[in-house]
Amino acid sequence: RKGNVIITGASSGLGLATAKALAETGEWHVIMACRNFLKAERAAKSFGITKENYTVLHLDLASLDSVRQFVDNFHRLGRPLDVLVCNAAVYQPTAKEPSFTAEGFELSVGTNHLGHFLLARLLLDDMKQSDYQSKRLIIVGSITGNTNTLAGNVPPKANLGDLRGLAAGLAGLNSSSMIDGGEFDGAKAYKDSKVCNMLTMQEFHRRYHEETGIAFASLYPGCIATTGLFREHIPLFRLLFPPFQKYITKGYVSEEEAGKRLAQVASDPSLTKSGVYWSWNKNSASFENQLSKEASDAEKARRLWEISEKLVGLA
Ligand code: NDP
């Protein structure tokens, strides 16, 4: 049978390119989990994804109610779940003030981490029940959260500290809107959320890989300097960032190539290892990369898991 894959944020950028790469193999039915239903439908059409290979379902990761509704709606489709790709993200590098999710969590961590954390936890049972030969849960990471790299050392650096802001609810009014309890910084909040994504993948691996056989993985697909992720950046940055990445850092990768990489992690028979953070070298060959000290801190991953469970109402 065809595999069934859910991709969050499949209405643009990396998620859309991945949806296309998987759908056009004819071996996958892609559930595009998107906050903007019409945009997703239009995107699928303009990318030439054929109707029988995809379904759009509404999902707003900035609302835990919406995450729960999405899971109910997915169940109504009556399809098994074989692969889940947590891809959607918001990035607010120029925001002066924090904004918040429906439940009042700072938006970047609330969407990128907490929304996906609840989604993945709620869908784990579906994946357990699937009889597919190679089940995978993929969470898109980033080099910017990895302080063992050059890009990860551009300030403000990711740092979750002792998680005191998260434990207090990231609410910004009576507590801090930042995980480490510090002052709001939109670029740092994004990087912190990506560290959470990478820690979550490893904690899933430790808790569930042996029991379920599901492969849990993360990846850095390269710098896709042209996606909507940078939509809130200043115009000069948006103008100069793609050529800078292409010609200076040479870390640039097209949306199409990045989509192929994520599709590989989701489906390639040679990338089944669990607990891995994948990257690609200059020849576009995949390799197991090292995470930074913080992004591979098992004790921090455990505490992040436990606090996140409380915040999303699972504990
Ligand atoms: P885009 O902004 O193009 O895509 C992000 C997607 O997330 C969009 O489809 C967007 O929906 C969706 N989204 C945002 N908020 C929500 C929400 N509340 N609920 C549901 N969906 C939401 O950026 P990219 O394609 O670049 O980003 C995809 C992933 O790749 C992210 O995880 C990012 O961190 C990661 N990444 C990107 C890199 C890059 O260089 N671009 C490098 C490394 C990692 P909508 O279309 O409605 O706006």
Side-chain angles (χ1 to χ4, degrees):
R1 68 168 170 88
K2 264 188 178 179
N4 290 285
V5 54
I6 293 177
I7 305 177
T8 68
S11 48
S12 66
L14 177 59
L16 178 58
T18 307
K20 181 175 166 65
L22 287 173
E24 71 187 10
T25 62
E27 289 166 19
W28 291 92
H29 187 86
V30 182
I31 290 107
M32 301 171 69
C34 300
R35 61 178 167 177
N36 185 334
F37 198 91
L38 245 140
K39 181 178 176 185
E41 276 292 348
R42 282 201 195 112
K45 284 211 179 72
S46 75
F47 266 57
I49 307 177
T50 36
K51 190 61 218 158
E52 69 269 18
N53 290 337
Y54 77 93
T55 305
V56 178
L57 277 191
H58 184 262
L59 168 67
D60 182 355
L61 288 158
S63 154
L64 299 179
D65 277 347
S66 172
V67 172
R68 291 182 181 279
Q69 262 174 36
F70 169 84
V71 172
D72 286 347
N73 289 336
F74 173 70
H75 288 156
R76 286 201 194 98
L77 289 181
R79 287 181 175 275
L81 179 61
D82 310 315
V83 173
L84 170 62
V85 177
C86 297
N87 159 78
V90 281
Y91 176 45
Q92 300 186 299
T94 55
K96 298 273 180 291
E97 301 281 331
S99 41
F100 299 94
T101 66
E103 286 77 16
F105 306 122
E106 184 282 317
L107 191 71
S108 326
V109 174
T111 306
N112 308 354
H113 167 58
L114 291 172
H116 277 134
F117 179 78
L118 179 62
L119 180 74
R121 287 290 301 274
L122 294 178
L123 289 172
L124 193 68
D125 270 342
D126 295 80
M127 296 185 71
K128 280 187 195 167
Q129 283 157 25
S130 145
D131 61 359
Y132 203 70
Q133 70 280 14
S134 180
K135 304 185 274 188
R136 304 181 198 186
L137 197 167
I138 317 298
I139 310 181
V140 179
S142 178
I143 199 171
T144 54
N146 260 325
T147 50
N148 61 340
T149 64
L150 190 63
N153 272 302
V154 176
K157 289 193 217 176
N159 178 9
L160 308 188
D162 62 3
L163 306 177
R164 70 178 64 181
L166 186 71
L170 284 184
L173 295 168
N174 303 316
S175 64
S176 169
S177 58
M178 299 294 286
I179 293 182
D180 64 358
E183 292 240 332
F184 175 72
D185 181 316
K188 180 174 182 299
Y190 169 79
K191 294 179 188 181
D192 288 351
S193 78
K194 290 281 120 184
V195 174
C196 292
N197 287 156
M198 295 181 278
L199 287 171
T200 301
M201 176 278 290
Q202 294 163 83
E203 191 64 15
F204 261 114
H205 168 71
R206 280 189 284 269
R207 288 180 187 238
Y208 294 107
H209 174 63
E210 252 182 57
E211 172 201 335
T212 64
I214 298 169
F216 300 95
S218 184
L219 69 152
Y220 173 62
C223 182
I224 330 159
T226 50
T227 70
L229 195 67
F230 308 101
R231 59 173 80 79
E232 289 183 34
H233 229 302
I234 55 167
L236 187 65
F237 176 89
R238 281 187 275 133
L239 181 72
L240 296 179
F241 192 51
F244 173 73
Q245 290 294 346
K246 255 182 215 163
Y247 306 114
I248 312 288
T249 70
K250 301 207 163 58
Y252 174 85
V253 61
S254 69
E255 292 182 29
E256 192 186 358
E257 172 62 20
K260 283 188 189 145
R261 291 177 179 184
L262 178 48
Q264 231 182 319
V265 176
S267 67
D268 196 289
S270 64
L271 271 63
T272 54
K273 193 166 168 191
S274 185
V276 173
Y277 168 64
W278 296 105
S279 295
W280 285 259
N281 66 21
K282 288 190 180 67
N283 304 320
S284 271
S286 57
F287 67 96
E288 279 179 41
N289 206 344
Q290 293 295 312
L291 288 163
S292 70
K293 191 159 171 274
E294 182 170 51
S296 49
D297 180 335
E299 175 55 19
K300 212 169 252 194
R302 187 185 59 78
R303 289 196 45 237
L304 174 70
W305 182 279
E306 287 168 1
I307 297 170
S308 303
E309 270 187 331
K310 286 199 188 110
L311 294 179
V312 302
L314 287 172

